Amino acid sequence: EALTENTDKQEDAGTVYTLFTADANNGGFVEKLNIQAAGSNISTLIRFFINNGAATTTAANNVMLKEVALAATTSSETTAIPAVEVILNIALPAGYRIIATVATGIVAGVNITAIGGKY
């Protein structure tokens, strides 16, 4: 699926993708994120934020965690597109979320898998 551009660096506007939500009572832990391009894409930047569980449209509810540059990719039937692994190793309080934005719109999209769990 195509991903929509969002250049907001405080994450209080634009399209947001929720990647992980901690348990509402006991919190959670995210070890890492695995990013895999879903086909041919231009280069872009993905910004990851921690959200306190409240509205993402309020800048005070979000803090930037990391930025990760993704290289342009070309879909092929003979060559694999390398995955990008983002190590986090962070505990999240109850109801907190990991959210992401994409700096430039990408047509084929990416699959992002959060590796972790809820307590």
Side-chain angles (χ1 to χ4, degrees):
E1 148 183 357
L3 300 179
T4 304
E5 173 183 321
N6 183 343
T7 59
D8 186 13
K9 293 167 185 65
Q10 291 184 317
E11 192 30 59
D12 58 357
T15 303
V16 176
Y17 302 95
T18 299
L19 306 178
F20 179 86
T21 302
D23 182 78
N25 297 313
N26 299 312
F29 184 84
V30 179
E31 177 185 344
K32 62 185 174 181
L33 303 170
N34 186 62
I35 307 168
Q36 180 66 56
S40 298
N41 288 316
I42 61 172
S43 60
T44 192
L45 187 70
I46 298 183
R47 294 183 177 96
F48 299 99
F49 299 84
I50 297 174
N51 169 268
N52 65 6
T56 60
T57 53
T58 301
N61 295 338
N62 311 303
V63 62
M64 189 185 298
L65 180 62
K66 288 185 182 237
E67 292 182 314
V68 175
L70 298 181
T73 57
T74 302
S75 184
S76 170
E77 301 307 319
T78 59
T79 304
I81 297 172
V84 175
E85 189 173 87
V86 179
I87 304 299
L88 296 181
N89 286 323
I90 58 170
L92 294 172
Y96 275 49
R97 299 179 280 185
I98 302 284
I99 59 175
T101 63
V102 179
T104 56
I106 51 178
V107 177
V110 295
N111 297 308
I112 303 176
T113 304
I115 309 298
K118 298 178 181 191
Y119 296 128

